[in-house]
Amino acid sequence: MYRVCGMATSGNCYKVQLALEQLGTPYLWEEVDIMTGITRQPAYLARNPNGRVPLLEHHPGHFLAESNAILCYVADGTPFWPDERLLKAEVLQWMFFEQYSHEPYVAVARFICKFLPADHPRRAELPKVRERAHEALAVMERHLGQNRYFVGNEYSIADIALYAYTHAAEEGGVALAGYPATTAWIERVEAQPRFVPMVPMP
Ligand SMILES: N[C@@H](CCC(=O)N[C@@H](CS)C(=O)NCC(=O)O)C(=O)O
Protein backbone atom coordinates (compact mmCIF):
# COMPACT_ATOMS: atom_id res chain seq x y z
CA MET A 1 0.00 0.00 0.00
CA TYR A 2 1.16 3.56 -0.69
CA ARG A 3 2.52 5.58 2.23
CA VAL A 4 2.43 9.37 2.01
CA CYS A 5 4.81 11.46 4.14
CA GLY A 6 3.09 14.80 4.32
CA MET A 7 1.89 17.71 6.39
CA ALA A 8 -1.90 17.92 6.23
CA THR A 9 -2.02 21.73 6.20
CA SER A 10 0.36 21.94 3.21
CA GLY A 11 -1.37 22.44 -0.12
CA ASN A 12 1.29 20.42 -1.93
CA CYS A 13 0.58 17.48 0.38
CA TYR A 14 -3.17 17.99 0.20
CA LYS A 15 -2.99 17.52 -3.60
CA VAL A 16 -1.82 13.95 -3.02
CA GLN A 17 -4.41 13.30 -0.32
CA LEU A 18 -7.23 14.66 -2.50
CA ALA A 19 -6.19 12.62 -5.55
CA LEU A 20 -5.87 9.37 -3.60
CA GLU A 21 -9.21 9.92 -1.86
CA GLN A 22 -10.98 10.70 -5.12
CA LEU A 23 -9.38 7.77 -6.89
CA GLY A 24 -10.39 5.47 -4.02
CA THR A 25 -6.77 4.33 -3.69
CA PRO A 26 -5.86 3.03 -0.22
CA TYR A 27 -2.88 4.69 1.46
CA LEU A 28 -1.26 5.33 4.80
CA TRP A 29 -0.55 8.91 5.89
CA GLU A 30 2.56 9.73 7.92
CA GLU A 31 2.26 13.24 9.31
CA VAL A 32 5.54 15.18 9.05
CA ASP A 33 5.84 18.58 10.74
CA ILE A 34 8.21 20.55 8.50
CA MET A 35 8.53 23.31 11.08
CA THR A 36 10.59 20.98 13.30
CA GLY A 37 13.30 20.71 10.62
CA ILE A 38 12.84 16.94 10.42
CA THR A 39 12.83 16.98 6.61
CA ARG A 40 16.41 18.29 6.64
CA GLN A 41 17.71 15.48 8.88
CA PRO A 42 19.91 12.76 7.30
CA ALA A 43 17.29 10.03 7.76
CA TYR A 44 14.71 12.03 5.75
CA LEU A 45 17.24 13.27 3.19
CA ALA A 46 18.12 9.64 2.45
CA ARG A 47 14.52 9.25 1.24
CA ASN A 48 14.21 12.67 -0.45
CA PRO A 49 17.48 14.54 -1.06
CA ASN A 50 15.45 17.73 -1.60
CA GLY A 51 14.20 17.60 2.00
CA ARG A 52 10.57 18.36 1.33
CA VAL A 53 7.09 16.91 1.60
CA PRO A 54 5.07 15.36 0.07
CA LEU A 55 6.91 12.11 -0.44
CA LEU A 56 5.27 8.91 -1.69
CA GLU A 57 6.59 5.49 -0.75
CA HIS A 58 5.20 3.67 -3.77
CA HIS A 59 6.92 0.34 -3.13
CA PRO A 60 8.62 -0.59 0.14
CA GLY A 61 11.82 1.47 0.39
CA HIS A 62 11.20 3.29 -2.92
CA PHE A 63 10.17 6.95 -2.88
CA LEU A 64 8.83 9.57 -5.27
CA ALA A 65 8.97 13.31 -4.47
CA GLU A 66 7.34 16.41 -6.02
CA SER A 67 3.60 16.72 -5.59
CA ASN A 68 2.79 16.97 -9.29
CA ALA A 69 5.01 14.00 -10.20
CA ILE A 70 3.17 12.03 -7.52
CA LEU A 71 -0.17 13.09 -9.02
CA CYS A 72 0.96 11.81 -12.45
CA TYR A 73 2.09 8.53 -10.93
CA VAL A 74 -1.04 7.79 -8.92
CA ALA A 75 -3.42 8.98 -11.66
CA ASP A 76 -1.74 7.15 -14.53
CA GLY A 77 -4.30 4.97 -16.30
CA THR A 78 -7.27 6.73 -14.67
CA PRO A 79 -9.64 9.38 -16.09
CA PHE A 80 -7.81 11.99 -13.98
CA TRP A 81 -4.92 11.95 -16.47
CA PRO A 82 -6.25 11.44 -20.01
CA ASP A 83 -4.43 9.09 -22.38
CA GLU A 84 -4.70 11.20 -25.52
CA ARG A 85 -1.31 12.75 -26.32
CA LEU A 86 -2.29 16.43 -26.54
CA LEU A 87 -4.67 16.31 -23.56
CA LYS A 88 -1.95 14.65 -21.51
CA ALA A 89 0.49 17.41 -22.42
CA GLU A 90 -2.10 20.09 -21.65
CA VAL A 91 -2.51 18.64 -18.16
CA LEU A 92 1.26 18.95 -17.76
CA GLN A 93 1.15 22.49 -19.15
CA TRP A 94 -1.13 23.59 -16.30
CA MET A 95 0.80 21.62 -13.71
CA PHE A 96 4.05 23.31 -14.77
CA PHE A 97 2.22 26.64 -14.67
CA GLU A 98 1.16 25.80 -11.13
CA GLN A 99 4.72 25.11 -10.01
CA TYR A 100 6.41 28.03 -11.78
CA SER A 101 3.87 30.86 -11.91
CA HIS A 102 1.31 30.09 -9.21
CA GLU A 103 2.57 28.09 -6.20
CA PRO A 104 5.66 30.30 -5.60
CA TYR A 105 3.29 33.24 -5.04
CA VAL A 106 -0.15 31.98 -3.95
CA ALA A 107 1.33 29.36 -1.60
CA VAL A 108 4.20 31.50 -0.40
CA ALA A 109 1.88 34.38 0.58
CA ARG A 110 -0.08 31.87 2.69
CA PHE A 111 3.11 30.40 4.15
CA ILE A 112 4.38 33.82 5.22
CA CYS A 113 1.03 34.80 6.77
CA LYS A 114 0.12 31.51 8.42
CA PHE A 115 3.36 29.72 9.25
CA LEU A 116 5.86 32.48 10.08
CA PRO A 117 5.81 34.74 13.16
CA ALA A 118 4.15 38.15 12.75
CA ASP A 119 7.51 39.95 13.02
CA HIS A 120 9.35 37.70 10.55
CA PRO A 121 11.45 39.66 8.01
CA ARG A 122 9.91 37.72 5.12
CA ARG A 123 6.70 39.75 5.67
CA ALA A 124 8.41 42.45 3.62
CA GLU A 125 8.08 40.17 0.57
CA LEU A 126 4.29 40.10 0.79
CA PRO A 127 3.35 43.02 -1.50
CA LYS A 128 5.43 41.65 -4.40
CA VAL A 129 4.39 38.05 -3.77
CA ARG A 130 0.70 39.02 -3.69
CA GLU A 131 1.07 41.01 -6.92
CA ARG A 132 2.50 37.94 -8.67
CA ALA A 133 -0.22 35.76 -7.10
CA HIS A 134 -2.85 38.00 -8.70
CA GLU A 135 -1.09 37.69 -12.06
CA ALA A 136 -1.41 33.90 -11.80
CA LEU A 137 -5.07 34.12 -10.76
CA ALA A 138 -5.76 36.39 -13.73
CA VAL A 139 -4.38 33.72 -16.08
CA MET A 140 -6.63 31.12 -14.48
CA GLU A 141 -9.63 33.45 -14.62
CA ARG A 142 -9.21 34.01 -18.36
CA HIS A 143 -9.08 30.26 -18.99
CA LEU A 144 -11.92 29.38 -16.65
CA GLY A 145 -14.11 32.07 -18.17
CA GLN A 146 -14.24 29.82 -21.26
CA ASN A 147 -13.73 26.33 -19.78
CA ARG A 148 -15.36 24.36 -16.96
CA TYR A 149 -12.09 22.63 -16.07
CA PHE A 150 -8.47 23.18 -17.07
CA VAL A 151 -8.23 20.50 -19.76
CA GLY A 152 -10.79 19.06 -22.16
CA ASN A 153 -13.67 20.18 -19.96
CA GLU A 154 -13.05 17.17 -17.71
CA TYR A 155 -11.81 17.16 -14.11
CA SER A 156 -8.16 16.11 -13.98
CA ILE A 157 -5.01 16.26 -11.88
CA ALA A 158 -4.46 19.75 -13.35
CA ASP A 159 -7.55 20.86 -11.42
CA ILE A 160 -6.34 19.10 -8.27
CA ALA A 161 -2.89 20.73 -8.54
CA LEU A 162 -4.36 24.21 -9.01
CA TYR A 163 -7.20 23.86 -6.52
CA ALA A 164 -4.91 23.04 -3.59
CA TYR A 165 -3.56 26.54 -3.03
CA THR A 166 -6.09 28.60 -5.01
CA HIS A 167 -8.99 27.83 -2.68
CA ALA A 168 -6.81 28.90 0.28
CA ALA A 169 -5.42 32.02 -1.38
CA GLU A 170 -7.22 34.36 1.01
CA GLU A 171 -5.22 32.87 3.91
CA GLY A 172 -2.28 34.65 2.29
CA GLY A 173 -4.19 37.91 1.89
CA VAL A 174 -4.87 37.26 -1.79
CA ALA A 175 -8.55 38.07 -2.28
CA LEU A 176 -10.58 35.90 -4.66
CA ALA A 177 -13.45 38.38 -4.95
CA GLY A 178 -12.37 39.62 -8.38
CA TYR A 179 -12.31 36.16 -9.93
CA PRO A 180 -15.90 34.93 -10.44
CA ALA A 181 -15.02 32.18 -12.95
CA THR A 182 -12.32 30.86 -10.62
CA THR A 183 -14.69 30.96 -7.65
CA ALA A 184 -17.30 29.01 -9.64
CA TRP A 185 -14.61 26.45 -10.62
CA ILE A 186 -13.64 26.09 -6.92
CA GLU A 187 -17.28 25.19 -6.23
CA ARG A 188 -17.25 22.65 -9.09
CA VAL A 189 -14.11 21.02 -7.69
CA GLU A 190 -15.67 20.83 -4.23
CA ALA A 191 -18.74 19.12 -5.74
CA GLN A 192 -16.64 16.30 -7.25
CA PRO A 193 -17.26 12.75 -5.96
CA ARG A 194 -15.21 11.84 -2.87
CA PHE A 195 -13.97 15.40 -2.41
CA VAL A 196 -12.27 15.93 0.96
CA PRO A 197 -11.43 19.39 2.31
CA MET A 198 -7.91 20.39 3.32
CA VAL A 199 -7.26 20.22 7.05
CA PRO A 200 -7.76 23.81 8.33
CA MET A 201 -4.89 25.76 9.83
CA PRO A 202 -4.91 25.60 13.65
N1 LIG B 1 7.80 21.50 -5.65
C1 LIG B 1 7.57 20.76 -4.44
C2 LIG B 1 7.47 21.72 -3.28
C3 LIG B 1 7.43 20.97 -1.97
C4 LIG B 1 7.53 21.93 -0.79
O1 LIG B 1 7.92 23.09 -0.92
N2 LIG B 1 7.16 21.40 0.35
C5 LIG B 1 7.23 22.19 1.57
C6 LIG B 1 5.90 22.10 2.28
S1 LIG B 1 4.61 22.78 1.26
C7 LIG B 1 8.32 21.61 2.46
O2 LIG B 1 8.46 20.41 2.55
N3 LIG B 1 9.08 22.45 3.14
C8 LIG B 1 10.06 22.00 4.08
C9 LIG B 1 11.38 22.62 3.88
O3 LIG B 1 11.58 23.36 2.89
O4 LIG B 1 12.23 22.33 4.71
C10 LIG B 1 6.29 19.94 -4.55
O5 LIG B 1 5.41 20.35 -5.32
O6 LIG B 1 6.19 18.88 -3.92
Side-chain angles (χ1 to χ4, degrees):
M1 187 188 297
Y2 293 150
R3 188 161 61 96
V4 181
C5 304
M7 189 170 76
T9 51
S10 148
N12 283 318
C13 300
Y14 168 62
K15 291 175 195 174
V16 178
Q17 181 199 5
L18 181 56
L20 290 172
E21 291 285 343
Q22 292 190 304
L23 288 166
T25 306
Y27 64 98
L28 298 171
W29 184 271
E30 182 183 315
E31 185 68 15
V32 175
D33 183 355
I34 61 166
M35 302 312 280
T36 64
I38 193 175
T39 56
R40 301 307 168 107
Q41 297 296 314
Y44 191 89
L45 292 172
R47 299 189 294 179
N48 178 11
N50 199 27
R52 287 183 167 82
V53 288
L55 186 63
L56 178 79
E57 188 174 26
H58 51 89
H59 289 90
H62 294 272
F63 296 91
L64 181 65
E66 291 295 328
S67 57
N68 289 352
I70 296 170
L71 290 183
C72 291
Y73 181 74
V74 301
D76 194 44
T78 78
F80 284 7
W81 198 21
D83 263 345
E84 197 276 322
R85 183 179 174 187
L86 184 59
L87 293 178
K88 206 167 180 128
E90 286 178 356
V91 170
L92 290 176
Q93 173 195 317
W94 284 107
M95 292 169 84
F96 289 130
F97 163 81
E98 190 266 344
Q99 285 284 290
Y100 189 77
S101 302
H102 178 283
E103 193 262 13
Y105 309 110
V106 179
V108 168
R110 176 176 177 265
F111 177 75
I112 293 172
C113 291
K114 290 288 181 184
F115 287 80
L116 299 183
D119 58 352
H120 198 281
R122 287 199 67 188
R123 289 216 157 233
E125 297 171 26
L126 276 172
K128 189 71 197 163
V129 168
R130 286 176 178 148
E131 189 185 319
R132 300 295 297 272
H134 280 292
E135 285 170 17
L137 291 174
V139 172
M140 293 174 62
E141 181 70 13
R142 277 197 294 279
H143 186 73
L144 291 168
Q146 315 268 319
N147 300 277
R148 284 180 62 75
Y149 296 102
F150 276 94
V151 178
N153 278 319
E154 299 285 345
Y155 183 71
S156 75
I157 49 175
D159 298 285
I160 293 177
L162 279 158
Y163 172 80
Y165 283 111
T166 302
H167 85 283
E170 294 192 338
E171 293 182 0
V174 178
L176 291 170
Y179 305 100
T182 302
T183 306
W185 163 80
I186 286 172
E187 286 169 12
R188 284 195 289 281
V189 172
E190 292 173 354
Q192 290 295 312
R194 298 196 211 215
F195 172 84
V196 287
M198 184 161 74
V199 169
M201 291 295 299

